Amino acid sequence: MDPSDGPPVDPPSAARTARSLAELDAHLVSCRACPRLVAWREQVGREKRAAFRDETYWARPVPGFGDAHASVVVVGLAPAAHGANRTGRMFTGDRSGDFLFAALHRCGLANQPESTGRGDGMALDGVRLVAPVRCVPPENRPTPQERRRCAPYLARELELLAPTLRVTVALGAIGWNALLGSLSEQGWSVPRPRPRFAHGAELALQHLDGGPRRLTVLGSYHVSPHNTSTGRLTPSMLDAVLGRAAALAGHPRAAT
């Protein structure tokens, strides 16, 4: 039986006990905790877009994608109806993903500039793509309750990546706020009041355990078609943020 056909094995909060990214992903794809999101993702998967009518849609929560030992994490809302909700891979199969993967390739973080679906050979080097909400929301607008309910998945993914994580890039205000909220709960020195999102924002954090750990949070406008088609976010603007992330993380191909 498909794991999405039945009730969740555990609520999202149980994801905090996952011992590996694989275990986290297995828990995630079985989640049916948000009735509105479950109904919508499955409706989209049945009705489909005409261009994809012969494809089988993923229509489940979408796991993170990329390097399991990433030094950079990119956080952006959310799976697109006919993108990740179709392909089952974060930011894959839509215009937002086209823009993001091309930039990752230019910055030396991806092995190719185009991502069309699982099995296309795409590999990320030192970077992982995640989202604060893992199911496609109607009108791309998750409710505050849905954001809170899904938060343990982002939190645990960040915890599992902590040994190698050096930089996080938040795409848009929702990603920024979700990320800072999670990091604050995990003992990072997030200022109060919490800094507001801005493109190009940079925030250096220290862990409150007094150890040597450091983490930099960067902000970028989301790679949505609205932002990229209007010129609010240009390729050079995104390249600057991702290039900065790669340099801070000490990526070997980062521009100097």
Side-chain angles (χ1 to χ4, degrees), residues 34-41 136-138 141-143 146:
C34 299
R36 188 181 77 113
L37 299 188
V38 171
W40 179 244
R41 79 194 189 201
V136 55
R141 293 180 179 177
T143 66
E146 289 162 349

Side-chain angles (χ1 to χ4, degrees), residues 28-44:
L28 170 72
V29 299
S30 72
C31 185
R32 298 178 67 86
C34 299
R36 188 181 77 113
L37 299 188
V38 171
W40 179 244
R41 79 194 189 201
E42 294 179 356
Q43 178 182 334
V44 171

Side-chain angles (χ1 to χ4, degrees), residues 93-119:
D94 62 10
R95 290 169 58 195
S96 296
D98 293 344
F99 196 91
L100 176 59
F101 281 108
L104 290 169
H105 181 255
R106 289 191 299 269
C107 293
L109 300 171
N111 67 325
Q112 59 191 40
E114 297 180 354
S115 177
T116 57
R118 289 177 296 160

Side-chain angles (χ1 to χ4, degrees), residues 139-227:
E139 300 181 347
N140 293 321
R141 293 180 179 177
T143 66
Q145 184 180 26
E146 289 162 349
R147 295 182 210 172
R148 288 192 296 270
R149 194 176 291 139
C150 203
Y153 291 116
L154 174 62
R156 188 56 182 155
E157 195 146 8
L158 292 172
E159 288 172 343
L160 290 168
L161 293 167
T164 57
L165 185 59
R166 299 293 178 267
V167 184
T168 57
V169 178
L171 301 179
I174 291 179
W176 176 266
N177 290 327
L179 179 59
L180 292 187
S182 186
L183 293 175
S184 179
E185 291 175 358
Q186 293 177 29
W188 290 96
S189 58
V190 177
R192 295 182 180 180
R194 191 176 297 170
R196 296 184 64 181
F197 167 78
H199 181 84
E202 182 169 327
L203 183 62
L205 304 180
Q206 183 174 357
H207 203 274
L208 298 178
D209 63 6
R213 286 194 290 167
R214 301 288 189 276
L215 185 66
T216 303
V217 180
L218 303 177
S220 170
Y221 291 134
H222 197 281
V223 290
S224 68
H226 173 75
N227 286 338

